[in-house]
Amino acid sequence: MAQGSSPPPEIRSPDDRTAAEDAEAEAEAEVEEEVFDDAFDIPHKNAPHDRLRRWRQAALVLNASRRFRYTLDLKKEEEKEIIRRKIRSHAQVIRAAFLFKEAGQIDIREAYTGINVATASRSFPIELEKLNTLNRDHDNVLLQEIGGVRGLSDLLKSNLEKGVSPNEDELLQRRNVYGSNTYPRKKRKNILRFVFEACQDLTLVILMVAAAISLTLGMTTEGVDEGWYDGGSIFLAVFLVILVTATSDYRQSLQFRHLNEEKQNIQVEVVRGGKRFGTSIFDLVVGDVVPLKIGDQVPADGVLISGHSLAIDESSMTGESKVVHKDQKAPFLMSGCKVADGYGSMLVTGVGTNTEWGQLMANLSEDNGEETPLQVRLNGVATFIGLVGLSVAGAVLVVLWIRYFTGHTENPDGTTQFVAGTTGVKQGFMGAIRILTIAVTILVVAVPEGLPLAVTLTLAYSMKKMMRDKALVRRLSSCETMGSATTICSDKTGTLTLNKMTVVEAYFAGTKLDPCDDVSQMSDSAASLIIEGIAQNTTGTVFLPEDGGAAELTGSPTEKAILSWGLKIGMDFHDVRTKSSVIHVFPFNSEKKRGAVAVQSDDGVHIHWKGAAEIVLSSCKSWLSVDGSVQSMSAEKHDEFKKSIEDMATNSLRCVAFAYCSFDIEMIPEEDIASWKLPEDDLTLLGIIGIKDPCRPGVRDAVRLCTTAGVKVRMVTGDNIETAKAIALECGILDANSVISEPVVIEGKVFREMSESARGDAADKIIVMGRSSPNDKLLLVQALKRKGHVVAVTGDGTNDAPALHEADIGLSMGISGTEVAKESSDIIILDDDFTSVVKVVRWGRSVYANIQKFIQFQLTVNVAALVINVVAAVSSGDVPLNAVELLWVNLIMDTLGALALATEPPTDNLMKRNPVGRREPLVTNIMWRNLFVQALYQVAILLIFDFAGVRILRLQNESRSDAEKITNTFIFNTFVFCQIFNEFNARKPEEKNVFKGVTKNHLFMGIIGITTAFQILIIQFLGKFFKIVRLDWRLWLVSVAIGLVSWPLAYLGKFIPVPVRPFQDYFKPRCCRKPSRRDEEEGGQT
């Protein structure tokens, strides 16, 4: 077994690829081309730019600025990379040139301290300009000239042990002198920008041009008083559409901006006034002392104070995937880099835009958006519908123009509208413009421009609500993908358990301590060895308040539990650490599951090991007895200790063992101590403790809910297999009545050593994996994905990054997770709770369900409006729904419909279904059935009234002109009320009770109320603008009654059976059909 400090994990930049990786990427691309043969079908994660360009080119778009607002700006991405390269090369040039520029000009010490008469009276002896130069140059010789890190600390009026004062006035003064750790953000777009973008819709531009012509001609022919109504009403309707659209888009942008700010607000630890606590990265000041550990992001530019095996991944700044080891010879740390291994502390010397990272972020601060697979698929749907609509609108335009210019179109009074040689040019032109306006408005209704944007709306709403449910979404597409998750590979500690650890059992000196903190029977020498190991072999700290209050502990939950137990057995943390000094550290490693420290004291050199009990025990050749003597480890004694570990593990305890060995000081390598491999084979066992970490309340119910929803929960943990099994039984992941054996419960080592095909066979059966390494988790994820699963994975450590990146949905932990893990993840679980993971699944399904509701509603309006207008235009040469009315219908259907239906909260019913397959059609057979039932009803009823309305409504006594106006008004009013009532039906496409929970959705009820109120206002008071007349109460009742029939009709329609096979498959060539996950599963079972 290798000794000493293990090589740090390599954290690569996405841009850095080896030849092997390129070949693998090409192979994957070939597979993707086979799978994603549709232009509107993109990978859910890390989609290549050529695929993103492909769907953009295939889409039918009327307003590019609006349609592509929340998609990735490919041009800006290229510009970003150019800026990154410039800043990196700029920094390297400065470092290379600095010595030539400054050498010999002025005294080195004064160049860096600025200590002279002019500066001595200022707040700090060292000037900002000189400090920035030191940060950029990274010259250790010059740092030593000013007294090293301690001299620099004195110049910054800081303390390397206690940090700066936490006094707000002093912190403010530091920000005023050296700047704050923020960077300028680009101004957010105001609402006028969104209004301007909404105006760029091609159809709206044509309508405004047509309205302007109509307004001009109308006022010249009919006078100002009457002639402005036709053009003015279209202008008013277009303005209303633009205003509502812009307001909705503006609100969305604010939500996304807020979420982006949350993502950038990293929490860091800082030492101020001798106390370590957490704060926002934006609150750091020059002079702060910041502890660093594996997985952290370096929060500012700084100089290393002290560190052990500290390795930094600088690829984010240098572009090279090279891990740099930091020590007193190379102490400079760059903001934005990641800690790849070890731990240490740094003195902050540069913040904000005074750092290279700050300059980079200032140039790249604007989030360019990201398209999601569902959004792209909806663009495909919108393009298909748009092409149909364009064809229909073109056909209507041609038919109406032919009928108009051939004299087959009549005025309401029965006279022919256009008579060749008689009708004036202006009047003829007005008629042609009116027909063009109708055709363009049909196109407005037909092209569902808001359909892809409905995804953005529901995602923005869901992300905001998910924040309340303790989930921060980093990647939009993960919201959708989570709804398709078929399995969740969860950590144990902190996710399924509370992460509130306490030592409840202890075996020391060969006996069980009762109570666990009673060391009175042990000799002083034995107790002091244990205490030395606890105090020195830790990354945690103990802070004792001056007022004598309770000790404040920092570190991981396991470290805090051990330190707390140490205090109970008489440990004086600071006294122990001053009596001995650390020579070398082997940081705790998730692969080896143990860590060590070499300390020197008056008693000589001791090497203390701490880690997984059975692993440390296997390295022990002796054990420490009660009197402090070292006894040989016999086979019987080894079995006795092993039995103690198994008993504790069976009781759900995490077992940690302590061991040590003495070392000859003469054998310690003085020159190359960093590569010293600490001895680990001939150890003396000091003792074993059992740490209790209780299950989180509600986890058992959450696991049961996942099982009901068709999502399999698997536990992957680094803990002892027996501990993992006990916790899994307690959480309900394992069934006590089922057979618990391999491969259901398996050790990571066993799984790792299997062949790839054997791993594939075992992966589906695995429920609990114990003593797993991060690489085992990655292998499990890969095996499950090959089996067709959509995999969600939780992780918190730096080494979890590959598995989080590989998984379909990576879920990092907000409290215990490292920055590296968070950056590799798609969603951050802010409270580390498994129940929050289940809420994310629920929200993911809600996103998909809400989009389907909106699609069903919008397609119903599309089909009904198109068919009614086309049939009427072809048969009579006129349309019952004019341009202004259609714009109002478009507003109901598009923006208001999306607001009402895309923001429905998730229901319990969502978790009673199986996951949605990624290849499942957006429009299901159930939706087609509902759509056809409603559209058929609306078309039939309204066409009947269009052709026989005068007789049915008993308007024979009215003049022809008035009767036609009343009939068209009635058709318009009835059509709108059909949509209002159908909006309720769209809420529950599959359920018969569409009213369940409707009163809880205040936004939905508000939009229904606003739509109804505006419709009453339009009919009763805006007749001239809409070219309609007031309706009496009888016609109002009939309109509402016809709309109301859609409710019982929808109820009865749900009794009509639908085939399992999607309707779309009947129209595809057999070779082009893509099997759905359900088909694949059924095929696998036969």
Side-chain angles (χ1 to χ4, degrees):
M1 190 177 286
Q3 297 177 337
S5 181
S6 66
E10 189 173 354
I11 309 166
R12 294 186 178 177
S13 164
D15 300 328
D16 302 319
R17 287 184 167 184
T18 62
E21 286 174 322
D22 282 336
E24 188 181 332
E26 284 173 17
E28 285 177 1
E30 286 174 14
V31 173
E32 272 182 9
E33 282 302 320
E34 293 172 14
V35 177
F36 300 102
D37 57 356
D38 180 1
F40 295 101
D41 205 353
I42 64 168
H44 69 282
K45 207 170 180 178
N46 306 316
H49 284 195
D50 60 328
R51 292 210 58 81
L52 302 182
R53 286 192 188 93
R54 187 178 162 193
W55 81 258
R56 284 165 171 76
Q57 291 162 359
L60 173 67
V61 180
L62 299 177
N63 186 350
S65 62
R66 184 166 183 251
R67 180 78 74 87
F68 297 134
R69 180 182 297 127
Y70 296 112
T71 60
L72 189 69
D73 190 325
L74 300 178
K75 188 177 178 182
K76 280 192 178 180
E77 281 298 296
E78 292 170 2
E79 290 173 0
K80 270 187 177 184
E81 188 53 40
I82 293 168
I83 291 169
R84 282 193 189 100
R85 287 172 186 160
K86 279 182 180 177
I87 290 178
R88 286 168 182 166
S89 59
H90 174 69
Q92 290 161 3
V93 168
I94 287 174
R95 288 187 196 124
F98 183 77
L99 289 176
F100 294 101
K101 182 180 176 182
E102 295 289 336
Q105 290 183 9
I106 47 178
D107 179 74
I108 288 175
R109 183 177 176 86
E110 186 175 333
Y112 279 88
T113 62
I115 298 175
N116 53 36
V117 177
T119 58
S121 61
R122 294 182 184 177
S123 304
F124 300 96
I126 186 165
E127 296 173 353
L128 174 61
E129 185 182 345
K130 308 298 180 182
L131 197 59
N132 288 344
T133 309
L134 177 63
N135 287 332
R136 287 197 306 266
D137 183 45
H138 288 199
D139 193 315
N140 199 31
V141 175
L142 298 177
L143 177 65
Q144 297 308 316
E145 289 289 335
I146 58 172
V149 66
R150 190 164 294 279
L152 183 58
S153 168
D154 293 340
L155 293 173
L156 293 172
K157 297 185 179 179
S158 180
N159 184 292
L160 296 183
E161 287 76 37
K162 294 184 177 180
V164 300
S165 167
N167 182 277
E168 281 298 326
D169 291 337
E170 183 178 325
L171 296 176
L172 182 62
Q173 185 184 34
R174 288 179 182 273
R175 289 190 186 99
N176 291 336
V177 174
Y178 296 119
S180 60
N181 201 28
T182 57
Y183 48 86
R185 301 182 187 277
K186 294 183 180 177
K187 286 184 179 179
R188 71 182 183 205
K189 292 190 281 189
N190 59 29
I191 194 165
L192 294 177
R193 179 69 180 273
F194 288 92
V195 170
F196 174 72
E197 288 182 359
C199 290
Q200 293 176 34
D201 190 306
L202 180 61
T203 51
L204 294 184
V205 170
I206 295 171
L207 283 175
M208 285 189 282
V209 171
I213 295 169
S214 177
L215 190 67
T216 306
L217 294 175
M219 287 193 295
T220 55
T221 55
E222 299 176 36
V224 176
D225 291 341
E226 294 294 326
W228 71 277
Y229 279 111
D230 281 358
S233 58
I234 294 174
F235 265 125
L236 183 65
V238 168
F239 173 74
L240 187 62
V241 169
I242 288 170
L243 188 63
V244 173
T245 301
T247 304
S248 174
D249 291 349
Y250 178 64
R251 284 175 58 81
Q252 281 183 53
S253 75
L254 292 181
Q255 288 179 342
F256 280 122
R257 187 179 180 89
H258 173 69
L259 289 165
N260 283 331
E261 287 171 356
E262 285 291 336
K263 284 189 272 187
Q264 292 161 357
N265 187 13
I266 297 169
Q267 292 297 305
V268 296
E269 281 195 328
V270 63
V271 178
R272 286 178 183 165
K275 183 179 177 181
R276 188 192 290 196
F277 59 91
T279 188
S280 166
I281 191 171
F282 302 132
D283 293 335
L284 287 185
V285 295
V286 169
D288 266 329
V289 172
V290 178
L292 298 172
K293 61 183 182 300
I294 185 169
D296 283 351
Q297 176 175 310
V298 179
D301 279 2
V303 179
L304 180 69
I305 298 171
S306 63
H308 298 286
S309 306
L310 190 65
I312 305 294
D313 171 45
E314 296 185 346
S315 60
S316 60
M317 288 309 301
T318 63
E320 299 173 8
S321 58
K322 184 181 177 183
V323 173
V324 181
H325 290 270
K326 295 292 180 180
D327 51 28
Q328 296 307 321
K329 295 176 183 176
F332 292 97
L333 299 163
M334 286 191 290
S335 177
C337 300
K338 306 293 186 299
V339 181
D341 198 18
Y343 62 89
S345 60
M346 65 174 276
L347 176 70
V348 174
T349 57
V351 293
T353 50
N354 295 321
T355 68
E356 290 165 28
W357 179 255
Q359 292 171 24
L360 186 66
M361 294 305 291
N363 284 280
L364 309 178
S365 60
E366 189 172 25
D367 194 284
N368 285 335
E370 165 214 356
E371 57 254 63
T372 71
L374 187 55
Q375 191 178 348
V376 175
R377 286 176 72 189
L378 283 173
N379 270 288
V381 174
T383 297
F384 174 74
I385 298 170
L387 289 171
V388 173
L390 188 61
S391 305
V392 170
V396 169
L397 179 66
V398 172
V399 169
L400 289 182
W401 269 348
I402 290 171
R403 291 183 64 96
Y404 177 73
F405 287 113
T406 56
H408 288 83
T409 308
E410 294 181 347
N411 288 313
D413 58 5
T415 59
T416 303
Q417 287 186 352
F418 183 86
V419 179
T422 306
T423 306
V425 175
K426 283 186 178 179
Q427 192 177 344
F429 192 60
M430 279 280 285
I433 290 294
R434 182 182 61 82
I435 292 169
L436 175 65
T437 305
I438 291 167
V440 172
T441 311
I442 288 173
L443 187 61
V444 172
V445 176
V447 179
E449 192 74 7
L451 193 56
L453 294 172
V455 181
T456 316
L457 181 65
T458 191
L459 286 172
Y461 168 79
S462 300
M463 287 166 69
K464 183 180 176 183
K465 295 291 184 182
M466 284 166 75
M467 278 288 288
R468 296 179 188 174
D469 283 341
K470 306 298 180 185
L472 173 62
V473 178
R474 295 189 71 253
R475 193 170 284 111
L476 272 179
S477 58
S478 60
C479 281
E480 299 166 9
T481 314
M482 201 64 189
S484 301
T486 58
T487 186
I488 299 172
C489 298
S490 174
D491 283 339
K492 175 186 77 68
T493 306
T495 308
L496 296 168
T497 62
L498 280 169
N499 220 7
K500 293 181 179 177
M501 302 191 186
T502 49
V503 176
V504 294
E505 280 192 42
Y507 287 83
F508 276 88
T511 58
K512 180 179 179 179
L513 305 184
D514 190 15
C516 66
D517 54 4
D518 181 12
V519 292
S520 57
Q521 298 177 7
M522 295 175 63
S523 66
D524 291 343
S525 59
S528 64
L529 269 174
I530 294 163
I531 288 170
E532 183 183 68
I534 292 170
Q536 290 288 19
N537 192 11
T538 182
T539 55
T541 60
V542 178
F543 176 75
L544 297 171
E546 294 178 1
D547 59 6
E552 296 177 20
L553 309 175
T554 62
S556 71
T558 306
E559 295 283 11
K560 288 196 281 189
I562 294 170
L563 288 172
S564 176
W565 181 75
L567 292 173
K568 289 177 183 176
I569 64 172
M571 174 183 72
D572 185 330
F573 183 78
H574 295 286
D575 182 58
V576 174
R577 288 173 77 97
T578 52
K579 285 182 178 177
S580 57
S581 59
V582 175
I583 304 171
H584 185 55
V585 173
F586 173 83
F588 180 84
N589 186 288
S590 57
E591 293 284 345
K592 290 199 167 191
K593 303 198 181 302
R594 54 183 169 174
V597 62
V599 296
Q600 183 177 356
S601 65
D602 295 338
D603 297 331
V605 175
H606 292 153
I607 295 167
H608 287 277
W609 284 89
K610 176 181 73 181
E614 70 271 25
I615 293 176
V616 172
L617 177 62
S618 65
S619 299
C620 293
K621 299 291 190 295
S622 56
W623 59 282
L624 195 71
S625 66
V626 175
D627 59 5
S629 61
V630 176
Q631 306 291 324
S632 177
M633 181 74 74
S634 63
E636 293 79 13
K637 199 66 183 176
H638 182 276
D639 291 344
E640 184 184 321
F641 283 122
K642 190 175 180 181
K643 179 71 167 52
S644 302
I645 293 168
E646 289 172 356
D647 290 344
M648 285 192 282
T650 307
N651 292 326
S652 309
L653 302 185
R654 168 177 277 194
C655 304
V656 177
F658 298 87
Y660 92 108
C661 67
S662 297
F663 197 79
D664 188 353
I665 195 168
E666 302 295 330
M667 300 289 288
I668 298 173
E670 291 183 8
E671 293 183 1
D672 193 18
I673 196 166
S675 59
W676 178 30
K677 296 177 181 177
L678 296 180
E680 58 181 348
D681 291 328
D682 190 11
L683 305 181
T684 299
L685 182 69
L686 295 174
I688 304 164
I689 57 171
I691 302 173
K692 181 69 176 174
D693 185 13
C695 270
R696 285 185 180 272
V699 161
R700 195 176 184 87
D701 292 336
V703 170
R704 191 185 301 116
L705 190 62
C706 280
T707 306
T708 307
V711 181
K712 192 168 187 176
V713 180
R714 307 169 200 268
M715 181 199 288
V716 184
T717 177
D719 264 354
N720 182 298
I721 193 77
E722 294 298 325
T723 306
K725 195 190 298 182
I727 292 288
L729 285 165
E730 196 176 334
C731 294
I733 294 172
L734 282 176
D735 184 358
N737 299 320
S738 62
V739 178
I740 302 174
S741 59
E742 277 191 20
V744 175
V745 176
I746 194 170
E747 280 202 353
K749 184 181 178 184
V750 176
F751 182 71
R752 190 187 320 144
E753 291 171 351
M754 289 179 175
S755 65
E756 188 173 310
S757 60
R759 279 201 297 267
D761 294 335
D764 257 337
K765 301 170 187 173
I766 292 172
I767 296 177
V768 174
M769 185 184 286
R771 281 290 175 245
S772 67
S773 68
N775 191 52
D776 299 332
K777 186 186 286 188
L778 176 62
L779 290 173
L780 178 61
V781 170
Q782 290 170 338
L784 288 168
K785 284 180 73 177
R786 281 194 295 270
K787 297 288 284 185
H789 284 281
V790 179
V791 187
V793 168
T794 68
D796 53 13
T798 301
N799 291 334
D800 286 328
L804 289 168
H805 186 268
E806 178 71 21
D808 295 292
I809 313 103
L811 303 156
S812 63
M813 300 296 109
I815 298 171
S816 60
T818 63
E819 282 308 313
V820 172
K822 289 175 187 175
E823 282 202 5
S824 298
S825 68
D826 306 300
I827 298 173
I828 301 172
I829 305 300
L830 299 174
D831 60 356
D832 292 15
D833 192 340
F834 183 77
T835 54
S836 298
V837 176
V838 179
K839 287 175 185 174
V840 172
V841 175
R842 188 176 153 116
W843 275 109
R845 294 187 176 192
S846 177
V847 167
Y848 200 86
N850 285 351
I851 293 303
Q852 287 186 314
K853 294 170 189 176
F854 181 57
I855 291 172
Q856 180 183 305
F857 173 68
Q858 191 166 49
L859 288 184
T860 306
V861 185
N862 276 89
V863 172
L866 281 177
V867 173
I868 290 165
N869 271 3
V870 169
V871 173
V874 172
S875 60
S876 66
D878 203 355
V879 288
L881 299 172
N882 64 42
V884 183
E885 290 168 347
L886 283 173
L887 283 172
W888 169 237
V889 169
N890 183 63
L891 198 59
I892 296 170
M893 174 187 76
D894 207 335
T895 308
L896 296 178
L899 277 170
L901 293 169
T903 56
E904 277 277 319
T907 61
D908 294 335
N909 198 52
L910 290 171
M911 297 301 282
K912 293 175 185 174
R913 308 174 188 170
N914 283 325
V916 179
R918 283 194 297 220
R919 300 269 169 252
E920 294 293 321
L922 274 174
V923 185
T924 64
N925 288 0
I926 289 172
M927 291 166 65
W928 281 122
R929 178 197 62 196
N930 298 343
L931 188 155
F932 284 133
V933 166
Q934 292 295 328
L936 194 63
Y937 167 69
Q938 291 178 22
V939 168
I941 287 290
L942 297 178
L943 283 179
I944 288 169
F945 278 103
D946 187 45
F947 292 114
V950 174
R951 182 171 52 80
I952 296 170
L953 300 175
R954 298 177 182 176
L955 302 174
Q956 292 91 337
N957 296 330
E958 302 286 342
S959 67
R960 181 172 174 177
S961 175
D962 290 343
E964 189 173 322
K965 279 187 177 179
I966 293 169
T967 304
N968 285 347
T969 303
F970 174 80
I971 290 171
F972 166 58
N973 198 39
T974 304
F975 183 71
V976 169
F977 273 99
C978 281
Q979 310 323 318
I980 291 171
F981 286 111
N982 191 38
E983 213 158 344
F984 285 86
N985 296 329
R987 289 185 66 247
K988 310 278 183 182
E990 297 181 19
E991 297 177 44
K992 293 183 176 69
N993 181 8
V994 297
F995 305 108
K996 186 178 178 182
V998 69
T999 53
K1000 293 179 181 177
N1001 189 345
H1002 302 302
L1003 184 59
F1004 180 88
M1005 294 305 293
I1007 287 171
I1008 293 293
I1010 289 168
T1011 308
T1012 306
F1014 266 94
Q1015 183 62 18
I1016 294 168
L1017 183 70
I1018 287 166
I1019 298 295
Q1020 297 301 110
F1021 303 104
L1022 298 174
K1024 279 207 169 187
F1025 286 101
F1026 283 77
K1027 292 184 185 176
I1028 54 178
V1029 293
R1030 289 186 180 184
L1031 298 177
D1032 60 32
W1033 65 272
R1034 292 181 187 84
L1035 293 181
W1036 267 103
L1037 282 179
V1038 176
S1039 288
V1040 173
I1042 291 171
L1044 195 63
V1045 170
S1046 67
W1047 285 350
L1049 194 67
Y1051 181 83
L1052 294 171
K1054 284 167 186 173
F1055 286 99
I1056 301 171
V1058 294
V1060 176
R1061 182 178 169 189
F1063 283 142
Q1064 294 92 315
D1065 280 7
Y1066 291 98
F1067 304 101
K1068 287 182 183 177
R1070 191 165 185 81
C1071 62
C1072 296
R1073 287 180 201 150
K1074 295 176 189 175
S1076 66
R1077 177 167 170 76
R1078 190 182 291 115
D1079 294 335
E1080 289 169 358
E1081 287 172 352
E1082 287 172 0
Q1085 291 165 2
T1086 55

